[in-house]
Amino acid sequence: MTLTAIQQRKVEENMGLVHQVIKDKVHGYNQWGFYTYDDLFQIGCVGLCKAAATDKGGTFSTYAYRLIWHEICDALIQSTKRYSDEITADVTPYKKVETENGEFLSGLRIDLFQTLSSARREAPPSTAKGIDAMVMMSQGYTSSEIGERMGASAKLVCAWVSKARKFLKERPETEAIAVYRS
């Protein structure tokens, strides 16, 4: 978008309006999704530029305030949808592995059980639910079935599992179990 000199001056004079919109409308760090304050400021500046480019007269700050907020809202909504899609795509089905080497498999099961039990005791409640859901998935249950048993939606189960995976990846004892996979 190319702005004229007058439009550019209008944008420069109203940069504080972007800060004001973020201060007034975006509350709490948890609502921002993937965005930092600087990201939201840049997104708001795009809205301010659009306002300057399409201004037809009248009270500019009122018009620009709405366009800035709409631009930020659109970005937050899109990031929420993207995050939701990533959570549902993150859950892969777990299947039982059949092998001729029964000892190896039972040793692996013992290690997994001990590791998961230890991790579950130290995990926050939602992460512990995710570990329980992972165990149920390994037994062949779907997210919907697990959700019915745990009194939650399938998407919430997927979110728990995603959180549990991240929690387990950070634990040193899971590295030892990863050796069994290769």
Side-chain angles (χ1 to χ4, degrees), residues 26-39:
V26 182
H27 306 285
Y29 290 98
N30 296 337
Q31 291 183 351
W32 296 5
F34 294 115
Y35 297 116
T36 64
Y37 184 88
D38 291 336
D39 293 334

Side-chain angles (χ1 to χ4, degrees), residues 64-134:
Y65 191 96
R66 278 195 347 254
L67 283 179
I68 292 166
W69 176 233
H70 286 286
E71 198 71 30
I72 291 172
C73 276
D74 289 344
L76 291 173
I77 289 168
Q78 201 152 28
S79 75
T80 302
K81 286 180 182 177
R82 189 173 1 147
Y83 179 72
S84 176
D85 291 343
E86 286 176 7
I87 286 175
T88 55
D90 188 34
V91 179
T92 55
Y94 292 89
K95 296 183 181 178
K96 294 180 182 176
V97 177
E98 297 296 327
T99 180
E100 295 176 19
N101 188 351
E103 286 181 37
F104 175 75
L105 188 57
S106 63
L108 175 60
R109 283 187 182 146
I110 291 169
D111 287 347
L112 280 172
F113 179 76
Q114 290 171 347
T115 301
L116 291 177
S117 296
S118 170
R120 191 182 187 296
R121 283 191 297 274
E122 298 172 19
S126 62
T127 305
K129 288 178 183 179
I131 292 170
D132 292 340
M134 289 172 76

